[in-house]
């Protein structure tokens, strides 16, 4: 009998297949004691296991490339954290085995993260995955992970570690469903990069029996258990229609009546550029520069190294627009040389521009490197600051750009509600705004983007979030300046129409989403988008907003 479950759709497409569950195993080692003579040997075992896991994560990242590489490299750094390893050595010195020492040291660090505010607690899943890999290696047992199968299947898991998601084979894994996570979790971001239909935050999915046929609609978040022949045909027809629309869609982004909406790509480094070019991106709307700084958490990369990497991206879009976000460190991206180690709530502390203004030499080097990287190129370079709270922040960033000799537009990201509320004031100092909807939702609703329990508040269809976006766009229009969206909201084709109706002037997203958004925008006029936006803002919940916008665009 067909039943329907509803989660959060995070990656477009339809997948129909049999269920396979992520393998699980109990990886808590016994509390066995060792003698003092055995301590040095056990410490050596622990170090070798840690180094092997770190190397494996780095190798997986290099194989996966793009966004996945940055996530996995960050995990590799967790594995070799000096403080964690010192704690492991201390525990072994007083009688723990290597595997028990690792387990208990990670458990202690896990408790610290879990108690450090919801933002840091969202990194617990990554920490658990690293711990399990090290302990499994020490115990000589296989890591729980993606099941072996010769036939394609739909994967169900409590959550997916980045190392598993990054190397999913789309030829075998038709789609995946997780009980936890949110629309901006690592699993969701990597699913979109892979082009695999996915649903997250669906409690109870793990109770679906192995081998059950299910249908996953990654656009709506609907999961159909044992779908009828009619439902399967309906979903397959809708998928075929979307595929045909994608194939017919090309050229710049625009509504059906010719209102231009540039479609840009979010990239994390040179490795993401080929996919963006292939998808027809009109430029880069968010160039995350953190990848350069994660190689060594103790010092910033040299100016020469930065110039080399920036130029590779700038060269890929001759006469296109490339918007670079300066280093956004802090919160879940701590760097030893830049961010405080003892903040009670890093998400509300010294993060983003605040860190850079405390370390003007790091900001100056990055801005100088960008200026030199753009020399002689016809690219339209724009540089923006993360976590701008008010006009004082915006002025400090603009002054730093001018002092570095940067010949580019200076902008501010709107991620803090105060920036949306005072957008016209901020625009007296900068030339454009870019909305980071992931963090804007997080701060507007006090809802950690990594916690599945509050995922409904991270839904970009929330009317209050749409209000903040509209305020920013209206302020930019009044000042004759631009206001784009570079958060995950832009990757939803229907929401892209609403954002256009709100007055947003450009949309930036993962490369895989560009064809979907281009094809959907081309079906509607600007007036239809504006009516859909008004209907969504008049709603009282995210679901009502989505339904209202769809009704307007469907002519109902």
């Amino acid at each position: 009998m067909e039943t329907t479950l509803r989660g959060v759709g995070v990656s477009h497409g339809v997948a129909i297949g049999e269920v396979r569950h992520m393998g699980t195993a109990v990886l808590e080692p016994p509390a066995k004691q060792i003698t003092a003579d055995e301590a040095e040997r056990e410490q050596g075992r622990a170090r070798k296991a840690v180094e092997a896991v770190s190397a494996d994560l780095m190798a997986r990242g290099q194989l996966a490339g793009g966004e996945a590489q940055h996530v996995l490299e960050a995990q590799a750094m967790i594995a070799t954290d000096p403080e964690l390893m010192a704690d492991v050595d201390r525990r072994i010195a007083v009688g723990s085995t290597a595997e028990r020492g690792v387990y208990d040291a990670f458990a202690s660090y896990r408790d610290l993260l879990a108690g450090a505010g919801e933002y840091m607690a969202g990194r617990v899943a990554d920490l658990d995955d690293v711990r399990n890999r090290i302990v499994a290696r020490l115990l000589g047992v296989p890591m729980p992970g993606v099941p072996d199968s010769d036939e394609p299947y739909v994967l169900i898991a409590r959550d997916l570690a980045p190392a598993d998601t990054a190397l999913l084979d789309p030829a075998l894994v038709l789609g995946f469903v997780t009980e936890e996570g949110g629309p901006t979790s690592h699993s969701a971001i990597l699913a979109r990069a892979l082009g695999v239909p996915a649903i997250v935050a669906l409690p109870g999915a793990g109770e679906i029996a192995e081998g059950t046929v299910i249908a996953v609609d990654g656009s709506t978040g609907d999961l159909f258990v044992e779908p009828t022949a009619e439902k399967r045909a309906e979903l397959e027809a809708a998928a075929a229609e979307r595929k045909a629309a994608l194939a017919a869609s090309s050229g710049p982004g625009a509504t059906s009546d010719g209102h231009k909406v540039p479609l840009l790509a979010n990239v994390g480094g040179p490795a993401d550029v080929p996919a963006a070019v292939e998808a027809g991106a009109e430029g880069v709307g968010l160039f995350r520069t953190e990848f350069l700084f994660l190689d060594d958490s103790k010092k910033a990369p040299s100016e020469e190294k930065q110039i080399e990497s920036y130029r590779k991206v700038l060269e890929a879009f001759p006469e296109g627009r490339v918007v670079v976000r300066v280093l956004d460190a802090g919160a879940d991206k701590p760097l030893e040389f830049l961010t405080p180690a003892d903040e009670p709530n890093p998400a509300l502390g010294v993060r983003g521009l605040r860190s850079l203004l405390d370390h003007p030499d790091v900001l100056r080097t990055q801005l100088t490197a960008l200026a030199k990287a753009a020399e002689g190129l016809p690219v339209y370079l724009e540089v923006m600051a993360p976590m701008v709270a008010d006009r004082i922040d915006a002025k400090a960033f603009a002054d730093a750009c001018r002092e570095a000799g940067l010949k580019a537009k200076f902008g501010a990201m709107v991620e803090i509600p105060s920036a949306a509320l005072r957008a016209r004031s901020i625009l007296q100092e900068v030339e454009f705004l870019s909305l980071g909807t992931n963090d804007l939702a997080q701060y507007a609703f006090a809802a950690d983007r990594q916690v599945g329990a509050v995922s409904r508040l991270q839904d970009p269809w929330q009317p209050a979030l749409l209000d903040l976006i509209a305020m920013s766009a209206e302020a930019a229009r009044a000042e004759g300046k631009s206001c784009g969206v570079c958060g995950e909201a832009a990757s939803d084709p229907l929401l892209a129409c609403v954002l256009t109706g709100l007055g947003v002037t450009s949309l930036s997203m993962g490369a895989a989403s560009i064809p979907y958004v281009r094809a959907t925008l081309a079906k509607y006029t600007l007036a239809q988008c504006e009516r859909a936006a008004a209907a969504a803002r008049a709603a009282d919940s995210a679901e009502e907003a989505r339904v209202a916008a769809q009704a307007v665009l469907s002519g109902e």
Side-chain angles (χ1 to χ4, degrees):
M1 178 179 175
E2 178 183 304
T3 56
T4 305
L5 302 175
R6 168 64 64 85
V8 179
V10 295
S11 185
H12 307 298
V14 170
I16 302 175
E18 292 188 0
V19 167
R20 295 286 183 274
H21 287 276
M22 176 71 81
T24 58
V26 177
L27 289 175
E28 180 174 358
K32 177 183 174 184
Q33 289 292 108
I34 62 170
T35 65
D37 292 341
E38 297 173 299
E40 187 174 347
R41 182 197 67 194
E42 291 297 288
Q43 288 170 340
R45 285 182 64 226
R47 279 192 293 274
K48 285 181 180 178
V50 165
E51 290 166 2
V53 167
S54 178
D56 177 62
L57 289 169
M58 293 292 285
R60 284 170 178 258
Q62 289 172 359
L63 184 62
E67 183 74 38
Q69 183 170 358
H70 312 141
V71 173
L72 293 177
E73 286 176 351
Q75 273 199 299
M77 289 174 62
I78 291 175
T80 56
D81 182 270
E83 289 187 20
L84 259 175
M85 282 311 300
D87 193 14
V88 171
D89 283 342
R90 283 193 296 270
R91 292 172 187 274
I92 294 173
V94 295
S96 290
T97 61
E99 45 267 44
R100 190 71 209 189
V102 168
Y103 187 89
D104 289 341
F106 271 74
S108 177
Y109 194 44
R110 187 187 200 278
D111 291 342
L112 286 174
L113 279 183
E118 288 189 351
Y119 203 99
M120 291 302 286
R123 288 292 166 264
V124 165
D126 290 358
L127 188 72
D128 287 349
D129 180 56
V130 173
R131 177 204 63 201
N132 286 345
R133 290 176 186 279
I134 298 170
V135 172
R137 183 172 287 272
L138 286 165
L139 290 174
V141 300
M143 252 302 292
V146 178
D148 290 328
S149 176
D150 295 329
E151 297 296 325
Y153 59 90
V154 179
L155 180 64
I156 293 182
R158 182 182 62 81
D159 202 352
L160 282 171
D164 293 319
T165 317
L167 296 183
L168 290 178
D169 181 355
L172 283 177
V173 182
L174 302 173
F176 69 75
V177 181
T178 65
E179 295 189 87
E180 299 183 359
T184 58
S185 66
H186 281 153
S187 291
I189 292 170
L190 295 179
R192 285 188 284 271
L194 287 166
V196 176
I199 297 174
V200 300
L202 203 166
E207 297 172 14
I208 301 173
E210 186 92 357
T212 303
V213 174
I214 63 172
V216 173
D217 189 332
S219 300
T220 64
D222 290 327
L223 184 153
F224 303 93
V225 180
E226 296 182 342
T228 63
E230 290 78 11
K231 176 58 71 176
R232 291 178 68 155
E234 177 188 325
L235 290 170
E236 287 168 348
E241 183 182 341
R242 281 196 290 260
K243 187 175 181 180
L246 294 181
S249 174
S250 61
T255 57
S256 62
D257 55 342
H259 175 72
K260 293 182 179 180
V261 187
L263 302 181
L264 313 170
N266 294 343
V267 305
D272 293 343
V273 168
V277 173
E278 185 179 352
E282 298 169 60
V284 173
L286 172 61
F287 178 10
R288 304 181 184 94
T289 57
E290 289 76 38
F291 76 103
L292 275 169
F293 293 79
L294 292 175
D295 288 343
D296 185 348
S297 67
K298 296 182 179 179
K299 63 179 181 180
S302 67
E303 181 181 304
E304 292 71 24
K305 182 176 180 180
Q306 292 190 54
I307 292 171
E308 180 184 359
S309 293
Y310 300 152
R311 195 168 178 89
K312 286 178 182 176
V313 175
L314 297 177
E315 287 176 336
F317 295 95
E319 300 184 9
R321 178 186 178 199
V322 175
V323 184
V324 179
R325 180 180 70 190
V326 294
L327 177 62
D328 184 12
D332 63 333
K333 293 171 283 191
L335 295 171
E336 282 186 45
F337 69 90
L338 198 68
T339 50
D342 56 351
E343 287 188 300
N345 191 339
L348 300 180
V350 183
R351 178 189 167 190
L353 180 62
R354 299 168 186 176
S355 294
L356 293 174
L357 293 178
D358 280 351
H359 297 80
D361 54 324
V362 175
L363 177 59
R364 187 182 309 110
T365 298
Q366 185 170 25
L367 294 175
T368 301
L370 284 165
K372 291 181 179 179
E375 285 179 0
L377 297 180
V379 68
Y380 295 96
L381 175 63
E382 301 184 11
V383 182
M384 62 185 181
M387 300 297 290
V388 170
D390 56 17
R391 183 173 180 173
I392 293 172
D393 280 350
K395 183 178 187 305
F397 178 66
D399 287 346
C401 289
R402 281 187 283 268
E403 288 169 10
L406 195 61
K407 294 180 174 61
K409 285 187 176 181
F410 318 141
M413 291 196 71
V414 177
E415 300 163 287
I416 303 173
S418 63
L421 293 168
R422 301 289 294 170
R424 287 198 72 169
S425 172
I426 288 172
L427 284 166
Q428 305 310 304
E429 304 294 343
V430 296
E431 299 172 80
F432 69 93
L433 300 177
S434 183
L435 287 143
T437 52
N438 309 349
D439 272 322
L440 186 58
Q442 174 170 251
Y443 291 119
F445 296 102
D448 188 336
R449 54 194 284 190
Q450 299 294 332
V451 176
V454 293
S455 62
R456 79 170 185 87
L457 296 171
Q458 265 291 331
D459 192 324
W461 281 93
Q462 283 285 352
L465 182 64
L466 299 181
D467 288 342
L468 291 171
I469 293 170
M471 292 176 72
S472 303
E474 289 164 7
R477 185 188 302 115
E479 295 295 328
K481 295 178 179 180
S482 63
C483 176
V485 168
C486 64
E488 292 300 313
S491 65
D492 179 337
L494 181 61
L495 186 50
C497 296
V498 167
L499 295 172
T500 298
L502 291 175
V504 166
T505 56
S506 66
L507 300 167
S508 189
M509 64 209 75
S513 299
I514 291 175
Y516 289 92
V517 173
R518 182 192 294 119
T520 304
L521 267 179
K523 292 165 58 177
Y524 306 108
T525 65
L526 176 59
Q528 285 177 299
C529 292
E530 290 172 340
R531 288 196 294 273
R537 288 184 69 187
D540 291 319
S541 72
E543 182 57 27
E544 289 177 9
R546 186 183 290 107
V547 170
Q550 182 66 71
V552 169
L553 294 177
S554 300
E556 297 176 7

